[in-house]
Amino acid sequence: CTFNGTLLSEKVTQMMDWTSKRSVIKMNGDKFRRFVKAPPRNYSVFIMFTALQPQRQCGVCRQADEEFQVLANSWRYSSAFTNKIFFASVDFDEGSDVFQMLNMNSAPTFLHFPHKGKPRRADTYELQVRGFSAEQLARWVADRTDVQIRVIRPPNYAGPLLLGFLLAVIGGLAYLRRNNLEFLFNKNVWAFSALCFTLIMTSGQMWNHIRGPPYAHKNPSSGQVSYIHGSSQAQFVAETHIVLLFNGAITLGIILLCEAATSDVDIGKRKIMCIAGICLVMLFFSWLLSIFRAKYHGYPYRSGHSWLYDW
């Protein structure tokens, strides 16, 4: 008991020393086996398994690492900081033996190693569902340890500067055209602005802002990149851009059809507008429906057909 107590004290002291230098402790195979796998241990460790070397071309890993650093720094400089939980990372190129030990073949992956017992299913973070934002990771930490971490991000002046620049441009244009402000009362300008806002909101941009999902997913085994998430409970940033494009094309097609029916232009141009509108609606709505089918597997589609073609 005395030996175990001394060894535990040494391990905690070493972990605290590393944390005082870096909020996220870098581990290799030896450190992982000694400070995480081997007893005694009265602290929990949250580890990000990643691949940050440039040759790995893992853009998602770098984004996840930034969020993990935000979370770890928020805990390290919190008034509630204790030696009960630590944050660490294992890079594939520095700890490939750890990846093999855990039968892990993808990155980034977040695992929680509790102070007692073996990790359970809930100790593996659902990255594809929850995203990797520091706030979502903090909620996961609270679920597993009851430790509440208030995420504090470094100040980001890009947003206020961009807003100030936009307001300055609008103010400058209004000043230059102060004698002719009819464009402010142009219904087409307001309709276009409202349409853009609607398309952005319906494509899932707000969900991205809240959850912080990866842009896409690259399979480390095959190298194949997925832009559409296979679950209805999650999405990629690229997926929202694709949906935005498809919705925009469908909207353009409907506008062309309306213009073809009400415009005063010659019949030839109206036919072209009508054909173009029908093609845009049919093509992009079909693709949009294909995405829906891929994400909502239980929806009662007919085999190989959509209602669009039946109609």
Side-chain angles (χ1 to χ4, degrees), residues 122-250:
D123 290 310
T124 299
Y125 182 70
E126 296 178 318
L127 179 64
Q128 302 298 334
V129 175
R130 305 177 70 171
F132 51 71
S133 70
E135 289 77 10
Q136 288 294 329
L137 289 168
R139 293 188 185 98
W140 175 57
V141 171
D143 291 340
R144 306 312 304 156
T145 63
D146 292 329
V147 173
Q148 303 291 333
I149 301 178
R150 180 172 174 265
V151 175
I152 301 176
R153 295 180 177 275
N156 185 357
Y157 300 105
L161 288 175
L162 181 60
L163 179 61
F165 175 76
L166 181 61
L167 292 175
V169 170
I170 295 175
L173 290 175
Y175 177 77
L176 292 175
R177 301 193 59 177
R178 60 187 181 276
N179 296 324
N180 184 13
L181 297 178
E182 293 181 0
F183 70 95
L184 292 177
F185 304 96
N186 189 315
K187 64 178 182 179
N188 291 330
V189 172
W190 288 105
F192 180 77
S193 301
L195 180 60
C196 290
F197 179 80
T198 302
L199 290 174
I200 291 173
M201 291 296 103
T202 56
S203 66
Q205 296 294 338
M206 188 57 66
W207 193 94
N208 292 342
H209 179 73
I210 296 172
R211 295 295 186 90
Y215 187 82
H217 174 70
K218 183 176 182 180
N219 190 312
S221 301
S222 63
Q224 183 178 1
V225 179
S226 299
Y227 298 102
I228 306 297
H229 198 286
S231 170
S232 61
Q233 303 298 316
Q235 66 184 23
F236 297 132
V237 174
E239 184 176 330
T240 64
H241 294 165
I242 294 172
V243 171
L244 174 62
L245 173 64
F246 286 5
N247 283 335
I250 294 169

Side-chain angles (χ1 to χ4, degrees), residues 9 22 56-57 73 87 89 91 97 123 125 132 157-158 161 175 185 199 237-238 251 265 294 311:
S9 178
R22 298 177 60 97
R56 300 298 174 188
Q57 298 182 352
N73 286 330
F87 294 92
S89 66
D91 193 284
D97 52 336
D123 290 310
Y125 182 70
F132 51 71
Y157 300 105
L161 288 175
Y175 177 77
F185 304 96
L199 290 174
V237 174
T251 304
V265 298
W311 180 80

Side-chain angles (χ1 to χ4, degrees), residues 10 19 30 104 112 180 205 229:
E10 291 177 354
T19 301
D30 293 336
M104 192 176 300
H112 168 233
N180 184 13
Q205 296 294 338
H229 198 286

Side-chain angles (χ1 to χ4, degrees), residues 2-15 35 39-43:
T2 303
F3 173 76
N4 284 341
T6 303
L7 179 59
L8 177 60
S9 178
E10 291 177 354
K11 291 172 70 172
V12 172
T13 300
Q14 182 64 74
M15 293 288 284
F35 292 93
R41 180 164 56 85
N42 65 349
Y43 52 85

Side-chain angles (χ1 to χ4, degrees), residues 278-297:
I278 291 174
C279 291
L280 284 173
V281 172
M282 291 187 62
L283 180 63
F284 285 94
F285 188 81
S286 177
W287 287 348
L288 192 64
L289 206 61
S290 298
I291 296 176
F292 184 83
R293 183 188 294 112
K295 294 179 70 66
Y296 295 85
H297 305 285

